[in-house]
Amino acid sequence: MTAHGPTAASLVGVMKRYGGAVALGPIDLDVPVGRTTVLLGPSGCGKSTLLRLINGLIAPDEGTLRVLGEGVTPASVEALRRRVGYVIQEGGLFPHLSARQNVALLPRWLRWETPRIDARVAELAALARLPEALLDRHPGELSGGQRQRVALMRALALDPEMLLLDEPLGALDPMVRAELQRDLREVFRTLGKTVVLVTHDLREARHFGDLVVLLRDGRVVQRGPLSALESAPSEGFVRDFLDAWREAP
Amino acid sequence: MRGAVLLALCALGCAPKAVRVGSKNFTEGVILGEVAARACAAGGAVTEHRRQLGGTAVLWRALRSGEIDAYPEYTGTLASELLRGVDARDLRGMRRALAREGVAMTAPLGFNNTYAIGVPEALASARGLRTLSDLQREPGLALGLSHEFLDRADGWAGLRARYGLPQRDVRGMDHDLAYRALSSGAIQATDLYTTDAEIAWHRLRVLSDDREYFPEYSAVLLYRADLPRRSPSCARALESLGGSLDAATMIDLNDQVKRRRRTESSVAAAWLEAHRGLRSAVASEGRAERVWQRTREHLAMVLSSLLAAVLCAVPLGVAAAKRPRLGTLVLGAAGVLQTVPSLALLVLLIPLLGIGAAPAVAALFLYSLLPIVQNTVAGLRGISPALRESAEALGLPPFARLRLVELPLALPSILAGVKTAAVINVGTATLGAMVGAGGYGQPILRGIRLDSTSTIMEGALPAAALALLTQALFACIERVAVPRSLRGGR
């Protein structure tokens, strides 16, 4: 199951256990550079665990994991995380900081000059379609959609090589969701970055995904373009999963 | 050159240290301390009176550790509490036992402050009552005795047995009520201390203990054995006070302070001038000046202990939050400290830190640890896992995460802990007066001793005001330091 061309992350025989129970793996997977990979599957299938492994938030119990050409070790993980943007479902914005301060947190810590930070924040606001007037509000004063736009800006602040998103639209109502979905895809296209997006929603996968990886009980069931999954399901579960979404309202 | 340096050092280090006289927290003790200190000062020694330090244990420890040089004590207390196995009437044996502790004792000052039975003067002279033995002839006499005297083995039961007393009408009552009952005629005799001011006040006759039943509580001055070498004039002055104060004089001095509301200083100075020809100045300060002085002492105690506690407890709280096992240990230790009664803690700290502000600040510091550590731990543990993980996912190293994200998020909780500690400190600091730290506790102690509500209020009101002010101050700090999005709970 190797992809052709360069990979942003590669997993070989990776396993993760929680208290004896296998949460993920063994799994082999390559994440291709410059494309959007969607990790799809029902809840509890291990897709979020996979994402957190790639970001070094958890370490594999077995197997090898390379991200952006490096092994993930305690020594390398912090520098590596700064090359990888990360957005979670509720945004994870710090409530004690304004939107601008949230976005500028890492640049400021890296001692960027203020004009450079200001320019970068303005650039990101335009990219994420966030009105600049909202930048000085605290997360509690922003809507759910606005918060996700700020979270995206924060993840992109250092212009990372890869962007990880864990159910970024999960907590939004349908109207906001549709709009943000469009804007996100636009951003991915503009930037041409490697993106790994976790979702349980087939329609979202269809919307974003060049490449879909369907997971079940911690294992990869099938990977490829969604059309391939639909035309040639590798096993019954793939068909069942797709059918369930077809019947959904 | 080297000689000059030595001389200069000597000028700093060899300057005669002030002689420090201590006194216990009751009126007679403070008067005697004041008499001793003024007698020393009149002899030319630089003298300081650390008045109304706590009880016997505090003074005895302070004397032996060199925190004070002298204090008034009673032979009965020495025999029963401080030097086991020495008879209160055996002065020579007592001096020998004291010498082993590095302490010397003056000759008895001239009065014996022990339990006694008093009867109204008019009744006593009508019936010819002079001694306790005379009570055998008066079976109809109604006695009102304090509960403590009734309960003690060496109180009423022993007294009745020793003298074969026939009285049947014996009631237990509050000491103050007993005096009132005496003047209304409801009772005819009560127990008292032989130098109580009330003896003069209520015109009582003290019946003499002709069968030597009550223990001897002769007043003496204790001083450090090295005092005669360090300040010969002071040691001479203390020794010269032996035999100079009889019971009638002491009752009068107590009465002047208790009933006529004169200060111990002016009463002691007047007596020394009239009877010993020693002149000494009595500094008088206004109430405002006094309160300001107490406020400065109180604030210094509270602020220094609180600052030290914040500097220690916040890092401890962080460590405790990060390492659960260490956390259990730290919180457990701070919790145990909290349960040590404050007075006991103060007394325990005296051998280590002496008397004055140091043990008080140390005790307040220790009491402040728990609320601050606890709230720091709670604040850090209360941060949602999503936020914690977000900070980690950004690629910030642990210390930066702590500084930029975790501590700011825990700030409302930490501030609440500091506020709790500060308010508790303002109240507990009043106990500092027991170990000579001054503060608002000074007038409170004095007021309780003299039964003077206005004096108590001089300490209690500013202390309450300071506690309220502290609350208000922290409300302001919260408004400034905590972003509006974190206020009112997360």
Side-chain angles (χ1 to χ4, degrees), chain B residues 14 16-17 19 45 69 102 104 223-236:
Chain B
C14 310
K17 242 177 68 187
V19 173
D69 296 298
Y223 58 90
R224 288 178 60 81
D226 61 1
L227 186 65
R229 187 171 46 74
R230 286 180 20 237
S231 177
S233 67
C234 179
R236 269 198 305 278

Side-chain angles (χ1 to χ4, degrees), chain A residues 185-197:
Chain A
R185 188 170 57 181
E186 200 51 45
V187 169
F188 298 165
R189 286 208 178 128
T190 313
L191 298 176
K193 288 186 191 302
T194 307
V195 173
V196 181
L197 186 140

Side-chain angles (χ1 to χ4, degrees), chain A residues 172-192:
Chain A
L172 304 176
D173 60 66
M175 290 274 290
V176 179
R177 194 185 173 109
E179 189 190 338
L180 189 60
Q181 196 166 288
R182 265 198 315 278
D183 290 349
L184 269 181
R185 188 170 57 181
E186 200 51 45
V187 169
F188 298 165
R189 286 208 178 128
T190 313
L191 298 176

Side-chain angles (χ1 to χ4, degrees), chain A residues 30-245:
Chain A
D30 285 326
V31 174
V33 167
R35 294 174 67 186
T36 299
T37 302
V38 174
L39 305 180
L40 181 66
S43 56
C45 71
K47 53 195 193 299
S48 290
T49 304
L50 183 50
L51 203 65
R52 296 170 72 220
L53 274 168
I54 296 175
N55 201 23
L57 287 169
I58 51 177
D61 295 316
E62 274 174 40
T64 44
L65 165 68
R66 293 183 71 78
V67 177
L68 301 176
E70 288 186 49
V72 183
T73 65
S76 71
V77 71
E78 268 158 23
L80 203 55
R81 282 178 191 148
R82 278 175 244 138
R83 295 167 62 194
V84 179
Y86 188 68
V87 178
I88 62 172
Q89 184 167 344
E90 318 89 73
L93 295 179
F94 303 126
H96 65 296
L97 300 175
S98 68
R100 181 189 301 280
Q101 288 168 327
N102 263 286
V103 176
L105 187 66
L106 214 49
R108 201 174 294 280
W109 181 72
L110 292 169
R111 299 189 188 285
W112 287 17
E113 304 278 339
T114 309
R116 184 178 169 204
I117 295 177
D118 290 345
R120 181 66 182 153
V121 172
E123 191 185 345
L124 289 167
L127 182 73
R129 295 175 182 267
L130 184 83
E132 286 206 40
L134 301 182
L135 281 173
D136 292 311
R137 293 205 186 161
H138 280 73
E141 300 156 339
L142 296 170
S143 73
Q146 290 162 347
R147 276 204 291 274
Q148 287 309 79
R149 288 173 198 271
V150 176
L152 178 69
M153 288 167 65
R154 187 175 71 180
L156 291 172
L158 297 185
D159 197 15
E161 291 151 61
M162 178 158 62
L163 190 58
L164 310 179
L165 303 100
D166 192 352
E167 303 264 11
L169 307 170
L172 304 176
D173 60 66
M175 290 274 290
V176 179
R177 194 185 173 109
E179 189 190 338
L180 189 60
Q181 196 166 288
R182 265 198 315 278
D183 290 349
L184 269 181
R185 188 170 57 181
E186 200 51 45
V187 169
F188 298 165
R189 286 208 178 128
T190 313
L191 298 176
K193 288 186 191 302
T194 307
V195 173
V196 181
L197 186 140
V198 161
T199 184
H200 65 280
D201 187 327
L202 183 71
R203 289 166 302 194
E204 221 167 277
R206 193 187 306 284
H207 182 84
F208 287 113
D210 302 339
L211 184 66
V212 172
V213 178
L214 182 64
L215 292 128
R216 180 201 190 187
D217 296 337
R219 310 282 292 266
V220 175
V221 181
Q222 191 171 3
R223 71 185 290 280
L226 192 58
S227 54
L229 269 68
E230 283 169 330
S231 59
S234 66
E235 57 177 272
F237 171 74
V238 180
R239 199 174 306 118
D240 292 347
F241 186 83
L242 299 176
D243 287 347
W245 276 101

Side-chain angles (χ1 to χ4, degrees), chain B residues 24-82:
Chain B
K24 292 190 204 177
N25 179 30
F26 70 102
T27 299
E28 188 169 290
V30 177
I31 295 174
L32 291 176
E34 194 65 7
V35 166
R38 283 173 181 273
C40 260
V46 181
T47 316
E48 192 187 328
H49 181 199
R50 313 293 296 267
R51 56 177 65 203
Q52 62 184 31
L53 301 171
T56 303
V58 172
L59 273 295
W60 179 244
R61 275 169 189 250
L63 181 71
R64 286 192 306 163
S65 66
E67 284 293 320
I68 56 172
D69 296 298
Y71 82 94
E73 188 50 280
Y74 298 90
T75 54
T77 310
L78 278 168
S80 64
E81 290 179 41
L82 302 177

Side-chain angles (χ1 to χ4, degrees), chain B residues 352-442:
Chain B
L352 298 173
L353 298 168
I355 54 173
V361 169
L364 295 178
F365 163 78
L366 292 174
Y367 285 130
S368 302
L369 290 178
L370 183 67
I372 303 178
V373 170
Q374 223 165 26
N375 278 40
T376 304
V377 171
L380 289 174
R381 289 201 182 143
I383 298 172
S384 78
L387 287 181
R388 209 189 298 276
E389 192 166 285
S390 287
E392 209 182 334
L394 282 177
L396 287 171
F399 186 73
R401 294 205 292 271
L402 186 68
R403 183 170 62 87
L404 297 172
V405 177
E406 295 171 14
L407 281 180
L409 287 175
L411 186 64
S413 175
I414 296 174
L415 269 179
V418 177
K419 175 164 81 176
T420 306
V423 172
I424 292 176
N425 265 6
V426 167
T428 311
T430 54
L431 288 174
M434 291 283 210
V435 291
Y440 293 140
Q442 193 84 0

